[in-house]
Amino acid sequence: MKNIKNLETGSFIVSQAQLSLDLKMVSFDIQGTTAHVLMLNKQKIIDDKKTALIVKALKEINQEVDQGKFIIDPNKGAQLTLEAKIIEKIGDTAYSVHTGRSRNDQIMVTEMLYLKNEIIGLMKSFIPVLTELFKLAKNNVKTVMPGYTHMQPAKPTTFGQWALAYLNGFLKSIKTIEHYFNLYDLNPLGACESYGTSWSLDREYTAKLLGFSKVWEIPQDAISSRGFVQLGYLNGLGEICLVASKLAQDLLLFNTFEYGMIGLGDEVAQRLHPITGSSVMAQKKNPDVLELIRSTAPQVIGYANIVANILDSLPMGYNRDSREVKEYIDLGLTKTKVMIKTLEKALATIKINKKKMQNAVEENYSLTTDLADFISQKSGIGYRLIYKIIGQVVDEAINKGKLLKQISADEIKNIALINNVKLELTDEEIKKAIDPQLVIEKRNHLGGSSTSSMKQSLKNAQNAIKDVVQSVNKKSLVFSGAKKKTDLIVNNLIQKYGT
């Protein structure tokens, strides 16, 4: 017999990193394999007694996985190690397991089941973040704060509106995740290597057993799409992390001595602490947690870009390149999950300095537009002309170091006359026009900051959170329910035909 040389590239092809990731997915491989075997039994390809032996062996192997006793042979890889374990337990009967199946669709369904489970868990973990933002919004409807454009004072808003804006941003991001979940709620089993099979498979049955809504119809599309599922989820995760990054950046600014509008709870940052304190500057209470939340987005987006580059120009059919995406979706999920948990704690323990926020609004000229609005509304004169008049008044006041509330009606009327406009205006009217609380209450439109508008917006947000909860619970029930039904079929077979 011809001498067979050792495969010296084996450890590169089946790397330790890949083995550790595959080990996370073995239970899902067993789940997919069980469904495939039950389908072969339904189609009369494997008889009842053989099927009972196989599913019993798979059940025993799954217990070994749960106990940490399952070890992947690096010379075989995860799929062939599983097959070897079945053979070890039941002998030649095990050779029927791989009928009408390739490692390609076996791996594909394993990864998709794993990702389903991970994404459902991630969405569940995000609900407390939505809840914390809702609480902040509800409790700060009247907490006036400056709004900014170009990092300059713009118009007053409320901390409640700020929280609600980020809540809605996250809700949209979750919809992106759900979009990819629904888009790829497809069963690839039966696609085989990429080209289908002559065996009489019932792909709809395995879809039902595994909790997929339908079959991934075209085999070449199914197998060639390995990596696209991960890319979709990474794009969704990146969107969540982008919103979190913007939120963290806001809080980093608000937390500075100069802004002083919020403080971090001791649960997330402490002075004199070896992690969040300074080794030499005793006064420091470093917001490391916010900086690291901010840093998550570029990393996750980077993983998505790497996956896209791996998939670029791959020809139709299975290509080993696509297995590399496992590492990057795992990194993306790990980073995002930790970030979500940390963000929840940061939001739950935030301290709001309402006085500092109010003072900033009164001192930074951000009420200028509201003053111009009032004068235009009262006089009936076009806003752009009033804008010009008030702009000249405020520009002069800023140059003289005078606050907006120190500007008199006479000053405004005099500048108006220079612009050939006669105004009727009193100091008392100006005082009311730039009262922060009154200003906020004037914004009565849909999505406005008035108490009545916020009441409706909060109701809408609360309903949206409920929708997320219901959606996640439904996905979880479908996924776990399918597993329970499959387990019931397995147990009945073992009870009836097992020895």
Side-chain angles (χ1 to χ4, degrees):
M1 185 177 176
K2 185 180 176 181
N3 290 329
I4 300 174
K5 294 181 179 180
N6 289 328
L7 181 67
E8 296 181 11
T9 57
S11 61
F12 172 72
I13 298 169
V14 184
S15 66
Q16 284 300 316
Q18 290 289 321
L19 286 172
S20 65
L21 291 171
D22 285 338
L23 195 56
K24 288 184 179 182
M25 302 184 198
V26 172
S27 60
F28 298 100
D29 194 349
I30 292 169
Q31 184 180 351
T33 300
T34 301
H36 180 70
V37 170
L38 291 176
M39 180 275 297
L40 294 175
N41 174 248
K42 175 182 175 292
Q43 297 300 98
K44 312 292 185 191
I45 296 169
I46 305 177
D47 66 35
D48 292 338
K49 287 187 177 181
K50 284 184 179 180
T51 302
L53 280 173
I54 294 167
V55 294
K56 183 181 179 183
L58 286 167
K59 190 173 181 180
E60 289 171 358
I61 294 167
N62 201 45
Q63 289 172 348
E64 292 173 20
V65 173
D66 292 341
Q67 294 165 2
K69 295 178 181 178
F70 186 93
I71 299 171
I72 298 173
D73 183 344
N75 293 315
K76 291 187 174 75
Q79 292 72 42
L80 293 184
T81 298
L82 176 59
E83 184 178 67
K85 284 279 186 182
I86 306 169
I87 294 169
E88 182 184 304
K89 286 181 178 292
I90 59 174
D92 289 353
T93 301
Y95 291 119
S96 298
V97 172
H98 211 51
T99 303
R101 186 178 72 164
S102 161
R103 271 188 300 181
N104 295 351
D105 60 337
Q106 180 182 358
I107 289 167
M108 189 78 175
V109 77
T110 297
E111 291 180 359
M112 291 184 71
L113 290 169
Y114 166 76
L115 286 172
K116 265 196 167 198
N117 186 65
E118 287 291 310
I119 293 300
I120 289 169
L122 183 136
M123 287 195 291
K124 278 184 180 178
S125 73
F126 204 73
I127 292 167
V129 172
L130 302 178
T131 303
E132 289 301 332
L133 281 168
F134 180 81
K135 288 179 188 175
L136 286 171
K138 186 178 180 181
N139 295 335
N140 291 281
V141 170
K142 295 186 177 182
T143 303
V144 176
M145 69 173 287
Y148 297 88
T149 60
H150 305 280
M151 290 297 295
Q152 296 295 310
K155 288 174 70 173
T157 183
T158 65
F159 197 69
Q161 277 251 309
W162 176 91
L164 205 53
Y166 278 113
L167 171 54
N168 284 335
F170 281 128
L171 286 167
K172 292 194 292 290
S173 301
I174 289 171
K175 284 191 179 295
T176 301
I177 290 282
E178 288 193 291
H179 163 73
Y180 286 111
F181 188 98
N182 295 330
L183 182 67
Y184 292 115
D185 191 14
L186 304 169
N187 174 31
L189 264 182
C192 295
E193 64 294 302
S194 289
Y195 304 104
T197 179
S198 60
W199 293 94
S200 60
L201 307 183
D202 186 341
R203 299 182 69 199
E204 290 178 330
Y205 183 67
T206 51
K208 184 179 178 182
L209 290 178
L210 295 171
F212 289 107
S213 63
K214 54 186 176 180
V215 169
W216 202 323
E217 185 177 357
I218 307 301
Q220 289 182 65
D221 175 39
I223 302 305
S224 292
S225 293
R226 186 187 186 192
F228 279 83
V229 185
Q230 290 87 342
L231 178 60
Y233 283 138
L234 280 169
N235 284 329
L237 296 177
E239 203 172 302
I240 286 174
C241 293
L242 272 174
V243 178
S245 178
K246 287 165 63 68
L247 184 153
Q249 176 60 32
D250 276 2
L251 293 182
L252 279 163
L253 288 171
F254 299 163
N255 185 54
T256 60
F257 181 84
E258 289 74 16
Y259 279 75
M261 295 194 297
I262 66 106
L264 297 178
D266 288 342
E267 296 89 340
V268 297
Q270 296 178 19
R271 290 184 189 86
L272 304 177
H273 194 281
I275 294 175
T276 59
S278 168
S279 62
V280 292
M281 297 169 282
Q283 83 281 7
K284 297 289 292 295
K285 184 179 181 180
N286 292 327
D288 303 76
V289 62
L290 296 176
E291 292 165 343
L292 292 172
I293 289 171
R294 182 177 60 183
S295 76
T296 306
Q299 295 178 73
V300 174
I301 292 167
Y303 303 146
N305 288 336
I306 292 171
V307 168
N309 284 324
I310 289 170
L311 299 178
D312 179 45
S313 300
L314 292 185
M316 183 64 74
Y318 177 76
N319 299 277
R320 194 76 166 207
D321 315 46
S322 61
R323 74 94 192 254
E324 293 292 293
V325 304
K326 281 190 294 188
E327 295 186 31
Y328 300 104
I329 185 63
D330 183 71
L331 284 167
L333 286 165
T334 300
K335 288 279 184 182
T336 305
K337 285 189 287 187
V338 173
M339 182 278 291
I340 288 170
K341 187 175 180 180
T342 307
L343 178 59
E344 178 199 347
K345 182 58 69 175
L347 292 171
T349 58
I350 199 170
K351 299 172 183 177
I352 302 164
N353 189 333
K354 296 182 180 182
K355 185 178 179 182
K356 193 71 178 282
M357 289 182 174
Q358 174 101 8
N359 289 344
V361 167
E362 292 176 352
E363 295 171 5
N364 67 8
Y365 303 94
S366 61
L367 289 154
T368 298
T369 304
D370 294 286
L371 176 58
D373 283 344
F374 167 74
I375 294 172
S376 178
Q377 290 162 5
K378 183 193 175 191
S379 65
I381 297 170
Y383 176 79
R384 289 298 285 168
L385 182 53
I386 297 298
Y387 161 87
K388 180 181 178 182
I389 294 166
I390 293 301
Q392 291 172 5
V393 173
V394 170
D395 183 56
E396 187 176 316
I398 290 173
N399 289 332
K400 291 179 178 179
K402 182 188 289 188
L403 296 176
L404 187 66
K405 63 184 178 182
Q406 295 172 328
I407 295 171
S408 68
D410 287 340
E411 289 176 88
I412 295 173
K413 287 189 286 187
N414 290 337
I415 295 293
L417 287 173
I418 294 172
N419 288 273
N420 299 314
V421 174
K422 185 176 181 181
L423 294 176
E424 296 294 332
L425 190 64
T426 68
D427 289 335
E428 186 61 28
E429 286 175 327
I430 292 175
K431 185 179 178 181
K432 287 183 179 179
I434 61 173
D435 182 304
Q437 291 295 340
L438 295 178
V439 163
I440 292 301
E441 287 300 325
K442 285 182 180 179
R443 298 174 191 166
N444 283 312
H445 54 76
L446 179 64
S449 56
S450 70
T451 305
S452 58
S453 294
M454 279 293 286
K455 185 177 180 181
Q456 182 59 50
S457 293
L458 285 166
K459 184 178 179 181
N460 293 341
Q462 191 171 37
N463 288 335
I465 294 172
K466 286 179 181 177
D467 288 343
V468 171
V469 173
Q470 289 173 0
S471 176
V472 173
N473 287 341
K474 182 179 178 181
K475 288 174 173 60
S476 183
L477 282 172
V478 169
F479 190 64
S480 62
K483 179 73 165 57
K484 287 177 182 176
K485 288 177 183 177
T486 302
D487 289 343
L488 184 62
I489 296 170
V490 166
N491 291 334
N492 287 340
L493 271 168
I494 293 171
Q495 188 176 1
K496 191 172 183 180
Y497 299 104
T499 54

